[in-house]
Amino acid sequence: MASDAPAVSGARPQWRTFFTEFVKAPRKVASPLASSRLMVEQLLAPVDWSSIRTVVEYGPGTGSFTQVILDRLGSATRLIAVESETGLARHLSASIADPRLIVVNRCALDIGTIVQDLKTDRPDLIVSGLPFSSLPDTDRARLIAQSAALLAQEGHFLAYQVRRAIEPHLAANFRSVVQRYEWRNLPPCHLYWCANQP
């Protein structure tokens, strides 16, 4: 497995790793609890996996979405997991041994450079768990604009958020935005499905 994260021996339990990183940086991690399986399934349900070749995941944490995405991807695909918190990136690298997974311990704002450096295709799917409400408004706007521009022509941007600060930026950058609310998670989250195609 390729990774920019330092190797570690052994992996802590998922809940402990997630809680520890939340305590260190609550504004970046956003929640002390990993996403529920019900919410993961709800957000990923509309994806046509047969058309997916490259996936980018922002803020994968301990891998609640990562493993489910890998389970649905074909053998010739790539999943680039961009995690800025070193402890979480290390945990992800240590806990998921899959040659399709590339863990990158960098800021999601570097996504253009990351994709270029990896010489990968434009992503067909971007899944984001970043707490956009905790980002400065300029960074929030920049990351969503970069994501919309980076996607393949028929690509999709999916996000789950506790707050709704992301909505004006989604409306400004995507032609299609569908939103629902998922109660079966702690905390409950707003779910978004966005595309450049109507």
Side-chain angles (χ1 to χ4, degrees):
M1 174 178 60
S3 173
D4 285 356
V8 293
S9 56
R12 286 183 293 176
Q14 185 182 71
W15 69 268
R16 186 177 298 171
T17 300
F18 208 92
F19 186 79
T20 299
E21 296 303 314
F22 171 78
V23 171
K24 288 181 186 176
R27 291 181 64 82
K28 291 184 179 180
V29 178
S31 170
L33 301 173
S35 302
S36 73
R37 182 62 183 242
L38 287 168
M39 190 180 75
V40 173
E41 296 285 351
Q42 176 81 345
L43 187 67
L44 298 180
V47 177
D48 176 9
W49 296 99
S50 65
S51 65
I52 304 295
R53 296 293 175 267
T54 303
V55 180
V56 169
E57 184 181 6
Y58 298 150
T62 53
S64 297
F65 276 86
T66 310
Q67 188 59 66
V68 178
I69 292 170
L70 288 168
D71 290 344
R72 299 179 183 197
L73 289 176
S75 59
T77 58
R78 301 176 90 181
L79 169 53
I80 304 166
V82 183
E83 176 55 64
S84 63
E85 297 304 306
T86 301
L88 292 174
R90 285 176 173 169
H91 176 90
L92 199 62
S93 295
S95 61
I96 301 179
D98 191 310
R100 298 169 299 169
L101 175 64
I102 302 169
V103 180
V104 182
N105 187 197
R106 290 175 66 178
C107 176
L109 285 166
D110 297 331
I111 188 56
T113 303
I114 292 168
V115 168
Q116 185 176 18
D117 290 347
L118 292 173
K119 297 180 172 58
T120 190
D121 295 333
R122 295 169 68 181
D124 306 292
L125 178 66
I126 297 175
V127 179
S128 179
L130 294 177
F132 279 90
S133 60
S134 298
L135 297 177
D137 194 59
T138 52
D139 288 349
R140 191 185 308 154
R142 178 181 159 204
L143 181 54
I144 294 173
Q146 283 182 337
S147 300
L150 185 65
L151 277 171
Q153 185 175 2
E154 297 185 0
H156 290 79
F157 178 88
L158 279 53
Y160 55 101
Q161 300 285 295
V162 175
R163 297 178 178 84
R164 305 177 68 173
I166 195 174
E167 291 183 2
H169 304 289
L170 296 179
N173 287 279
F174 292 99
R175 296 182 66 184
S176 171
V177 178
V178 176
Q179 185 266 336
R180 292 181 188 165
Y181 196 60
E182 178 55 69
W183 293 93
R184 298 168 296 178
N185 192 69
L186 289 175
C189 285
H190 300 274
L191 307 185
Y192 300 94
W193 297 266
C194 310
N196 289 320
Q197 300 296 317

